[in-house]
Amino acid sequence: MRIKKYSQWIVFGVIICMPGLVFGQQNQRENAFSYDSALEFEEDQSVYQPVSLDYVNTSCDTTDEAGTCCVDELCLPECQCCNFLEQFLMSRSPIYPSMNSQRIRVGGWLDQGFTGNFQKPSNNFNLPVTFNDRSNEYQMNQLYLFMEREVDFGGDELDWGFRADLLYGTDYFFTTAIGLETNTDGSAHWNSSDGPRRSGGNTFAMYGVALPQLYAELYIPWLSGVSVKAGHFYTPIGYEKVTAPDNFFYSHSYSMQYGEPFTHTGILSTFQVSDQLQLLAGIARGWDAWEDPNDDAELLAGIGWVSSDQATNVNLALSSGDQDTNVDASANRTIISFVLSHQFNDCLTYVFQSDFGIQDNGAINNQFQVVPAKWYSINQYLYYDVSDTLAWGARFEWFRDQDFSRVVQLSPPFASGGNYFELTVGANWKPHPCVTVRPELRFDWSDTSSPLLNVQGPYRNFQADYQVLLGGDVIIRF
């Protein structure tokens, strides 16, 4: 496959495998985010993006004057739909104009960046930071394409829609689902297994393809609007998102990386009760799972509220259901996420997030007994819009991996700590409506260690208790 050839060309380093010590627990694979290591045990009016439950239409309406100009000419600032791919298909494709007349549209973006690590880890990874996880190396994180027909949410008639997303790049690894991009044993399905990344006992290439969304949607004109989504879709849990244009920062929080699911497969309903109140309810097949070998189901639920002046948003989301663990093939995992955002004025916005998660039979205590594993976090974001094209932002996070089950997986008898902190400052600069530049400086530190296993900390290939990253990326929407 061509993907394999590209991956072999791009991946320069091959690192020695380290069994036992692993990063993370996402993608329904309890030893996920394990990497090769040299360590052995011996030694819109704002750049700020809306919170998760907001139902935002970001497409350009081609019925108005600005929208028509976007299709017929260049993308204008007053439109900001950046539909260059759509323009090309409208003029070159024999079938796309008729598809577009039925409100079917395509689009995407290219996200690529570089992260400098001042400590130069020997395995070339910035772990436990993921997504921009490669140190001192270029990454094409996302070449992202989508096709969709958005439902007319809030309309007076029954409507239907769909969405299909395709992601190629280094971020594919973090959005894989069991039974889709990976087999039920966790091995790579259609991507190359020749690479430095590891999950469980399987290896993965640096670059690959993922299908993070594939769903149909039905809109029902009841209350202030009801939609029912069926298929594979991004999680409503949390604040940060996989899709690069929907985040202020290039890097991600620990909460998003290790404490929350990325995708679900199932049915999710959105009830717009009023202009200020929105409810979510659904059922899915577990965290990051296209197929569930044990046919366990999980509940998805949420409530969103926005103030009458649109300045304050409050979102509470829940996922609860049986998940597979190393110890128990059917153990309950529950995650509750609270997000509050408040816009103080036209320039200043604050966001607060707190997660709490618990996994039954997910850890081993000091008496070597199987016990529930818990994790929780507090994230704070502050954004300041300097102008229409420039904004500054800061993020401070405390993530508590109480039982060493989410980030660095260790047995409590041999480890201490479990606290992870990060402070990130950065900017968003838009030299063009379709181009966003996101530089950032990030400082991580943690008290997690295991002297018996020669783990001085989770950074610099498990030999440091802090890490400093200077990086950034460029997003080009088309």
Side-chain angles (χ1 to χ4, degrees):
M1 291 178 61
R2 182 172 296 180
I3 294 174
K4 293 184 179 181
K5 294 181 180 179
Y6 287 166
S7 301
Q8 292 169 357
W9 183 82
I10 294 173
V11 178
F12 294 103
V14 177
I15 310 161
I16 301 173
C17 173
M18 179 201 66
L21 185 62
V22 294
F23 276 103
Q25 196 177 8
Q26 297 284 3
N27 293 339
Q28 192 73 6
R29 298 171 302 195
E30 299 308 309
N31 290 333
F33 303 169
S34 170
Y35 293 80
D36 292 309
S37 169
L39 174 66
E40 296 180 356
F41 283 167
E42 293 84 340
E43 311 214 324
D44 323 1
Q45 62 184 28
S46 168
V47 184
Y48 156 72
Q49 299 296 332
V51 291
S52 59
L53 296 187
D54 286 351
Y55 204 103
V56 180
N57 184 351
T58 58
S59 62
C60 187
D61 186 359
T62 57
T63 60
D64 59 29
E65 182 178 354
T68 303
C69 291
C70 272
V71 173
D72 297 336
E73 302 174 14
L74 294 177
C75 182
L76 301 178
E78 57 265 31
C79 177
Q80 297 198 25
C81 54
C82 303
N83 59 348
F84 300 117
L85 178 58
E86 214 168 31
Q87 294 177 45
F88 175 82
L89 293 176
M90 287 290 286
S91 61
R92 302 295 178 88
S93 171
I95 62 172
Y96 188 74
S98 61
M99 293 170 58
N100 189 260
S101 68
Q102 299 298 316
R103 305 202 333 258
I104 297 175
R105 58 185 296 266
V106 298
W109 57 84
L110 173 65
D111 176 31
Q112 50 190 338
F114 180 92
T115 304
N117 189 322
F118 292 94
Q119 294 173 291
K120 299 180 180 179
S122 59
N123 61 356
N124 292 332
F125 278 110
N126 297 322
L127 293 172
V129 173
T130 59
F131 286 80
N132 63 318
D133 58 343
R134 219 44 189 155
S135 66
N136 306 308
E137 184 177 300
Y138 163 83
Q139 288 184 252
M140 188 182 78
N141 296 89
Q142 298 181 6
L143 175 57
Y144 205 102
L145 299 172
F146 67 85
M147 176 182 289
E148 70 175 348
R149 187 185 194 270
E150 283 189 309
V151 297
D152 183 18
F153 196 90
D156 298 326
E157 297 180 356
L158 197 72
D159 197 16
W160 63 274
F162 69 89
R163 171 96 179 199
D165 293 26
L166 187 69
L167 186 162
Y168 173 77
T170 59
D171 286 359
Y172 89 97
F173 179 70
F174 307 105
T175 60
T176 58
I178 287 180
L180 189 60
E181 293 89 359
T182 61
N183 299 310
T184 54
D185 64 355
S187 61
H189 183 191
W190 59 55
N191 291 300
S192 170
S193 59
D194 182 14
R197 285 182 163 142
R198 294 185 60 82
S199 175
N202 302 296
T203 58
F204 293 83
M206 184 63 63
Y207 283 78
V209 173
L211 190 68
Q213 293 201 111
L214 180 64
Y215 64 82
E217 188 171 11
L218 178 67
Y219 170 76
I220 304 169
W222 182 56
L223 298 173
S224 294
V226 176
S227 76
V228 181
K229 204 182 279 186
H232 191 53
F233 45 84
Y234 284 124
T235 183
I237 305 293
Y239 171 64
E240 296 186 10
K241 307 184 189 314
V242 170
T243 46
D246 294 324
N247 300 292
F248 188 93
F249 295 103
Y250 180 32
S251 66
H252 285 287
S253 66
Y254 288 98
S255 300
M256 187 261 198
Q257 295 171 111
Y258 296 106
E260 303 165 355
F262 293 138
T263 61
H264 305 278
T265 302
I267 299 174
L268 182 64
S269 300
T270 303
F271 301 87
Q272 193 70 43
V273 180
S274 67
D275 291 341
Q276 295 179 249
L277 182 64
Q278 185 181 84
L279 303 177
L280 290 182
I283 187 169
R285 306 196 71 180
W287 288 30
D288 310 307
W290 176 267
E291 297 178 357
D292 189 340
N294 299 305
D295 290 326
D296 295 324
E298 68 173 336
L299 169 70
L300 296 175
I303 180 170
W305 175 84
V306 59
S307 61
S308 56
D309 62 359
Q310 306 291 309
T312 304
N313 287 267
V314 177
N315 291 327
L316 183 66
L318 163 77
S319 167
S320 181
D322 289 345
Q323 312 284 340
D324 300 337
T325 69
N326 289 334
V327 178
D328 194 333
S330 192
N332 180 268
R333 179 186 299 165
T334 298
I335 175 73
I336 301 173
S337 181
F338 172 80
V339 181
L340 164 71
S341 69
H342 179 72
Q343 189 170 1
F344 290 98
N345 52 48
D346 291 340
C347 298
L348 187 63
T349 301
Y350 170 76
V351 178
F352 173 89
Q353 178 191 4
S354 181
D355 287 358
F356 175 79
I358 182 170
Q359 169 73 67
D360 286 349
N361 301 334
I364 299 176
N365 63 15
N366 291 331
Q367 289 74 43
F368 297 98
Q369 298 171 323
V370 178
V371 295
K374 299 177 183 178
W375 62 96
Y376 39 93
S377 64
I378 292 177
N379 296 4
Q380 299 189 80
Y381 304 76
L382 193 64
Y383 307 111
Y384 184 79
D385 290 351
V386 179
S387 67
D388 292 338
T389 60
L390 178 64
W392 296 100
R395 175 183 63 204
F396 177 75
E397 177 184 20
W398 167 54
F399 183 84
R400 171 65 174 167
D401 187 9
Q402 179 172 300
D403 301 288
F404 306 96
S405 66
R406 307 305 302 178
V407 188
V408 179
Q409 295 181 348
L410 297 167
S411 296
F414 308 113
S416 62
N419 297 290
Y420 296 82
F421 303 90
E422 60 102 355
L423 173 63
T424 304
V425 293
N428 275 201
W429 175 50
K430 292 188 175 182
H432 184 276
C434 306
V435 179
T436 304
V437 182
R438 303 188 297 180
E440 69 172 46
L441 176 65
R442 172 169 176 152
F443 180 48
D444 293 78
W445 68 101
S446 172
D447 61 355
T448 302
S449 65
S450 178
L452 180 65
L453 302 177
N454 193 29
V455 177
Q456 308 305 316
Y459 311 104
R460 196 167 61 85
N461 203 8
F462 307 105
Q463 295 302 299
D465 59 3
Y466 75 96
Q467 179 173 257
V468 181
L469 303 176
L470 177 62
D473 65 338
V474 178
I475 303 171
I476 303 173
R477 293 187 294 140
F478 52 79

